[in-house]
Amino acid sequence: MSSSTPKEHAILGHDLPKARLTLTGWAWAALYLGLPVMLLGNLMDLFFQWTLGWCIGVWCIV
């Protein structure tokens, strides 16, 4: 028996691949990380627009 850890494990005679991030996992990660960044960015844009009169948000381009 080798000392290295095998990449696949046998459970009840079935070879199972190691865990991986699914499409749903990527979507949750994007939502969990992206939503707060978008909210903070928009709040900063709103703050600068109200206090300094600078329009730096995406909606200023339209």
Side-chain angles (χ1 to χ4, degrees):
M1 184 178 231
S2 65
S3 62
S4 65
T5 305
K7 291 184 180 178
E8 296 184 359
H9 301 283
I11 298 177
L12 296 175
H14 296 282
D15 291 331
L16 300 176
K18 67 178 196 173
R20 62 182 178 86
L21 196 55
T22 62
L23 183 60
T24 305
W26 282 108
W28 276 111
L31 182 70
Y32 183 76
L33 298 173
L35 189 62
V37 171
M38 286 178 23
L39 287 175
L40 288 175
N42 285 328
L43 286 174
M44 286 175 47
D45 290 342
L46 184 64
F47 172 75
F48 282 120
Q49 189 171 355
W50 275 357
T51 58
L52 303 174
W54 299 347
C55 190
I56 55 176
V58 176
W59 51 86
C60 298
I61 297 170
V62 178

